[in-house]
């Protein structure tokens, strides 16, 4: 299974110059006259995609999804379809090409984000879809012409930048045109496509949400940002708690999904310091999970616990993984239904073995309050040493 990975989402464009929001043109009710001045001075001299890629790898991430064009319509690559692109700024470099080269050099998969809403293109207004608030020319709406524009741009993106892992359409157009994703697959036979485009695609995309359940029925990629208010750079951002991010990642990935964790670079091309701290903390935990969150299957045995303790059990390479995505209620985990007495248990948060106890317990009784049936317990788990983390046990039976 070549899915179920942690990735880095990157929302970057001229909107970073507002220091407010990736949709600042609409949400700050900016005029086009003001916004159209931004490309004239956009010059991210500290943009170093190799640093991005190396940092993402240190955080355990296996792919980067980059915003090629957001709702404002500004393109971060050398497109021949509009002058509204990064080549017509003082920077005069193809930011996507630089990132693609860095990804290839360091073995990082590259994914592309593309917005269906386009507030700059004269034919893009779509009365059926959302996020059309700031469309510049609603009276010139022409879906046929705009879809042909999309096809030409997608052809550039899926032809000139090497192998593309996934395509992240944003904002469903609320219409079907299967020819667009068919073109994508013709250009990139192995590409995976999300469900926000012109047909259902390959995978679902819950956003800023931790779904209920124990296993996704369909390929799923959840996405969340380190910032609570915005996906692009916001100067006075409110940041998600480290515990929330780690627990969200553990639950989604234990359910078999991928997880895109977003950062919004500043206008100069560097990551905000607090975002770096958040990503580094997540990466430290993720790397200690020793691959348990990736490429696994649902457990073929249904375990039963003595006490309710939210848990998803997966299996990989002959081992079971107990994901306590909200942490532990005590320093022991008690199983009353199990396939056999375990041989070994490792608490991945610390990387150390924990004790295994096999005996009756006073809280596991029959109706006469007499202790019955031996219980398998994993004991002396140092849960209080990791208060901001979901906890994972690796068990060999």
């Amino acid at each position: 299974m070549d899915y179920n990975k942690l990735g880095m989402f990157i929302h970057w464009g001229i909107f970073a110059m507002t220091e407010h929001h990736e949709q600042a043109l609409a949400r700050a009710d900016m005029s086009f006259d003001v916004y159209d001045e931004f490309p004239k001075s956009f010059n991210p001299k500290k943009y170093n995609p190799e640093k991005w890629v190396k940092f993402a790898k240190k955080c355990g991430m296996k792919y980067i999804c980059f915003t090629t064009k957001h709702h404002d319509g500004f393109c971060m690559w050398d497109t021949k379809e509009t002058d509204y692109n990064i080549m017509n700024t003082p920077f005069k470099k193809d930011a996507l090409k630089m990132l693609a080269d860095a990804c290839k050099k360091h073995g990082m998969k590259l994914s592309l984000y593309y917005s269906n809403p386009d507030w700059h293109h004269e034919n893009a207004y779509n009365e059926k879809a959302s996020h059309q608030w700031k469309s510049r020319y609603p009276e010139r709406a022409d879906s046929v012409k705009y879809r042909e524009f999309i096809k030409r741009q997608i052809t550039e993106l899926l032809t000139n930048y090497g192998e593309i892992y996934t395509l992240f359409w944003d904002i469903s157009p609320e219409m079907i045109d299967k020819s667009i994703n068919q073109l994508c697959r013709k250009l990139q036979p192995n590409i995976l496509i999300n469900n926000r485009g012109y047909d259902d695609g390959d995978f679902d995309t819950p956003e800023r949400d931790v779904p209920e359940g124990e296993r996704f029925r369909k390929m799923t990629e959840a996405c969340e940002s380190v910032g609570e208010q915005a996906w692009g750079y916001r100067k006075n951002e409110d940041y998600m708690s480290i515990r929330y991010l780690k627990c969200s990642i553990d639950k989604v990935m234990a359910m078999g999904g991928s997880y895109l964790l977003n950062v919004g670079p500043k206008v100069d091309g560097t990551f905000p310091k607090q975002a770096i701290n958040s990503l580094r903390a997540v990466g430290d935990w993720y790397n200690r999970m020793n691959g348990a969150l990736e490429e696994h299957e649902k457990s073929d045995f249904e375990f039963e616990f003595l006490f309710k303790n939210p848990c998803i059990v997966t299996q990989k390479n002959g081992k079971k993984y107990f994901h306590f995505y909200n942490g532990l209620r005590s320093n022991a985990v008690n199983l009353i239904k199990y396939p056999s007495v375990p041989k070994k248990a490792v608490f991945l948060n610390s990387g150390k073995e924990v004790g295994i106890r096999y005996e009756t317990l006073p809280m596991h009784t029959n109706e006469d309050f007499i202790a019955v049936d031996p219980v398998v317990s994993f004991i002396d788990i140092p849960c209080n040493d990791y208060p901001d983390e979901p906890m994972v046990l690796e068990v060999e039976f």
Side-chain angles (χ1 to χ4, degrees), residues 11 34 36 69 91 93 107 116 129 171 262 279 300 368 373:
H11 275 66
V34 170
D36 286 348
K69 182 194 76 166
F91 190 61
K93 298 176 185 176
N116 290 312
I171 310 302
N262 177 77
L279 292 166
D300 57 9
D368 296 320
D373 302 328

Side-chain angles (χ1 to χ4, degrees), residues 307-335:
F307 301 110
K308 289 185 178 180
N309 212 10
C311 182
I312 296 174
V313 187
T314 64
Q315 62 186 33
K316 177 180 176 179
N317 298 330
K319 299 175 182 178
K320 306 291 186 187
Y321 292 89
F322 293 76
H323 296 265
F324 298 96
Y325 50 86
N326 282 332
L328 288 168
R329 54 176 277 158
S330 79
N331 67 348
V333 172
N334 311 117
L335 299 177

Side-chain angles (χ1 to χ4, degrees), residues 25-76:
L25 179 58
R27 302 202 181 202
D29 197 23
M30 300 179 70
S31 71
F32 284 107
D33 288 342
V34 170
Y35 203 82
D36 286 348
E37 292 296 310
F38 291 147
K40 297 177 184 179
S41 57
F42 185 67
N43 192 15
K45 293 182 178 180
K46 294 183 179 180
Y47 173 49
N48 186 333
E50 267 202 85
K51 285 187 176 180
W52 287 8
V53 173
K54 288 180 179 179
F55 180 61
K57 290 190 76 171
K58 285 183 179 179
C59 294
M61 293 163 171
K62 303 300 191 298
Y63 67 112
I64 289 176
C65 185
F66 181 72
T67 48
T68 63
K69 182 194 76 166
H70 210 267
H71 307 340
D72 61 3
F74 187 81
C75 301
M76 296 293 285

Side-chain angles (χ1 to χ4, degrees), residues 349-384:
N349 300 65
S350 67
K352 297 180 180 179
E353 284 192 49
V354 296
I356 298 173
R357 182 177 62 203
Y358 180 64
E359 63 181 18
T360 58
L361 294 181
M363 292 297 289
H364 183 221
T365 68
N366 60 19
E367 58 187 18
D368 296 320
F369 297 101
I370 298 173
V372 296
D373 302 328
V375 173
V376 163
S377 301
F378 306 111
I379 61 172
D380 298 327
I381 301 170
C383 55
N384 292 325

Side-chain angles (χ1 to χ4, degrees), residues 115-392:
S115 169
N116 290 312
D118 188 322
W119 299 334
H120 184 268
H121 192 279
E122 64 176 351
N123 304 128
Y125 179 72
N126 178 2
E127 64 178 6
K128 296 180 179 180
S130 67
H131 292 68
Q132 307 295 310
W133 316 295
K134 206 70 176 183
S135 181
R136 195 165 196 165
Y137 307 104
E139 73 281 0
R140 300 182 192 177
D142 189 324
S143 176
V144 174
K145 286 185 178 179
Y146 182 55
R147 278 180 280 155
E148 288 304 312
F149 169 79
I150 288 176
K151 287 182 179 180
R152 293 193 298 272
Q153 285 210 312
I154 286 296
T155 296
E156 290 179 343
L157 291 170
L158 300 186
T159 301
N160 300 331
Y161 299 93
E163 185 173 355
I164 304 303
Y165 177 47
T166 62
L167 178 60
F168 194 112
W169 297 112
D170 198 16
I171 310 302
S172 170
E174 300 299 331
M175 65 176 70
I176 301 296
D177 183 347
K178 294 188 176 182
S179 68
I180 295 179
N181 279 350
Q182 287 171 355
L183 172 63
C184 296
R185 293 191 172 93
K186 179 180 178 181
L187 297 171
Q188 294 269 346
N190 297 319
I191 198 168
L192 297 169
I193 305 173
N194 80 348
N195 64 340
R196 301 187 188 186
Y198 287 84
D199 63 41
D200 290 339
D202 302 306
F203 61 91
D204 292 337
T205 53
E207 181 174 319
R208 292 196 184 271
D209 178 49
V210 182
E212 295 298 326
E214 293 198 357
R215 196 75 182 179
F216 291 117
R217 295 182 179 180
K218 182 181 178 181
M219 193 181 297
T220 298
E221 176 187 71
C223 56
E224 179 61 271
S225 184
V226 295
E228 187 173 46
Q229 294 292 326
W231 295 77
Y233 175 63
R234 177 174 168 79
K235 185 176 182 179
N236 298 315
E237 184 59 287
D238 306 321
Y239 282 86
M240 310 298 282
S241 74
I242 301 301
R243 174 181 170 79
Y244 171 79
L245 293 175
K246 291 176 182 178
C247 291
S248 299
I249 292 169
D250 186 65
K251 187 171 191 291
V252 167
M253 295 191 68
M255 292 172 68
S258 286
Y259 199 101
L260 266 182
L261 183 55
N262 177 77
V263 58
K266 295 188 290 186
V267 67
D268 65 2
T270 62
F271 292 169
K273 183 177 180 180
Q274 195 162 347
I276 290 174
N277 292 339
S278 295
L279 292 166
R280 186 175 285 135
V282 167
D284 171 68
W285 163 79
Y286 191 85
N287 289 327
R288 281 183 276 121
M289 294 300 100
N290 198 29
L293 290 161
E294 302 175 9
E295 312 293 330
H296 52 69
E297 301 174 335
K298 179 180 179 181
S299 172
D300 57 9
F301 185 88
E302 188 171 344
F303 292 86
E304 188 174 341
F305 299 86
L306 177 58
F307 301 110
K308 289 185 178 180
N309 212 10
C311 182
I312 296 174
V313 187
T314 64
Q315 62 186 33
K316 177 180 176 179
N317 298 330
K319 299 175 182 178
K320 306 291 186 187
Y321 292 89
F322 293 76
H323 296 265
F324 298 96
Y325 50 86
N326 282 332
L328 288 168
R329 54 176 277 158
S330 79
N331 67 348
V333 172
N334 311 117
L335 299 177
I336 59 175
K337 183 179 178 182
Y338 44 87
S340 61
V341 178
K343 300 175 182 176
K344 180 180 178 182
V346 176
F347 182 53
L348 292 185
N349 300 65
S350 67
K352 297 180 180 179
E353 284 192 49
V354 296
I356 298 173
R357 182 177 62 203
Y358 180 64
E359 63 181 18
T360 58
L361 294 181
M363 292 297 289
H364 183 221
T365 68
N366 60 19
E367 58 187 18
D368 296 320
F369 297 101
I370 298 173
V372 296
D373 302 328
V375 173
V376 163
S377 301
F378 306 111
I379 61 172
D380 298 327
I381 301 170
C383 55
N384 292 325
D385 293 343
Y386 303 89
D388 70 338
E389 295 186 357
M391 301 184 186
V392 183

